[in-house]
Amino acid sequence: MNKLSSSLLQTSKVCRTIQQLKRNYCKPGVDPWFEKSAYSWFLPVQTRWKDNDQYHHLNNAVYHAIFDSVINVHLIRHIGLDIYSSSTPLGYMITGNCTFLGSARYPEVYMAGLGIHKIGKTSLQYKLALFPPIKEGENMLVNLVNGHEHTDPLLDKFGERGLVLGDYAHVFVDPETKRPTPMNQEWIPDL
């Protein structure tokens, strides 16, 4: 094989690799965090009229607000975060990202799953997914205050695969210095 043939062969391999990358780019369905079984705690979320955009589904910014609320409800009601104490570390959201397999819309109740991806010294990384109901508009009794554990039979009324996957991270900072501070070690067993 001469140099030109060898060069063309290598170029062809690179082009095939690039084409494969383009075809496989943004195929998030393989991420196990899209699956309901990856989560141990869930909070029902009722969409609102103002959440819809001109395309008749939730605007992207709404997903971030939903996931931020789910995280904070869990921290306050289940972990012990005291948002009224002046000495409690503040949780600053330093990153947030959503990957979409589908869209949510109004009016509907979805189930948001929350998982802890990584526990750091001063930070927490979360994974969240929004699960659609199997039967749209079905009446059901949900717990908006404390949410639902993964063993609750109510979760059988929601799909196994999430529509949206959220990746978020909090860094906890001292309320006075605004510098990173270690998390309360009493929280860790409940995370």
Side-chain angles (χ1 to χ4, degrees):
M1 186 178 305
N2 63 33
K3 284 185 178 180
L4 180 58
S5 296
S6 176
S7 176
L8 287 174
L9 181 62
Q10 287 177 340
T11 301
S12 175
K13 286 180 183 177
V14 169
C15 287
R16 279 195 306 260
T17 302
I18 290 171
Q19 288 170 345
Q20 288 172 331
L21 285 172
K22 285 181 181 176
R23 276 195 307 270
N24 292 323
Y25 182 72
C26 204
K27 287 191 179 176
V30 298
D31 191 325
W33 286 101
F34 270 105
E35 303 302 321
K36 191 165 58 175
S37 61
Y39 299 93
S40 60
W41 184 77
F42 297 82
L43 186 67
V45 176
Q46 169 70 59
T47 57
R48 306 164 304 169
W49 172 254
K50 73 177 197 166
D51 294 339
N52 277 2
D53 63 16
Q54 67 186 13
Y55 301 109
H56 307 287
H57 59 69
L58 265 61
N59 185 281
N60 290 355
V62 173
Y63 296 99
H64 294 292
I66 288 170
F67 288 153
D68 186 49
S69 292
V70 169
I71 290 166
N72 285 296
V73 164
H74 189 261
L75 290 175
I76 293 165
R77 294 199 174 128
H78 296 277
I79 305 302
L81 177 66
D82 183 357
I83 58 173
Y84 299 107
S85 169
S86 60
S87 62
T88 297
L90 305 173
Y92 283 179
M93 192 66 71
I94 59 165
T95 186
N97 180 53
C98 287
T99 303
F100 297 87
L101 288 181
S103 298
R105 61 190 171 145
Y106 172 85
E108 196 56 82
V109 173
Y110 295 86
M111 197 61 77
L114 172 67
I116 304 297
H117 185 242
K118 184 178 177 187
I119 299 173
K121 183 179 175 187
T122 63
S123 64
L124 287 173
Q125 291 181 3
Y126 312 94
K127 292 282 191 173
L128 299 101
L130 203 57
F131 297 93
I134 293 172
K135 292 180 186 175
E136 288 186 20
E138 180 180 6
N139 286 334
M140 59 183 88
L141 295 175
V142 296
N143 189 333
L144 295 169
V145 176
N146 291 308
H148 300 270
E149 297 298 322
H150 70 283
T151 56
D152 191 323
L154 175 73
L155 294 174
D156 295 339
K157 295 180 179 236
F158 293 86
E160 294 299 319
R161 176 162 276 183
L163 297 172
V164 182
L165 176 66
D167 294 284
Y168 293 84
H170 263 147
V171 168
F172 292 92
V173 299
D174 181 278
E176 289 182 27
T177 67
K178 306 296 190 251
R179 302 293 307 152
T181 189
M183 278 189 307
N184 185 335
Q185 293 301 301
E186 294 174 7
W187 295 357
I188 293 178
D190 294 325
L191 290 171

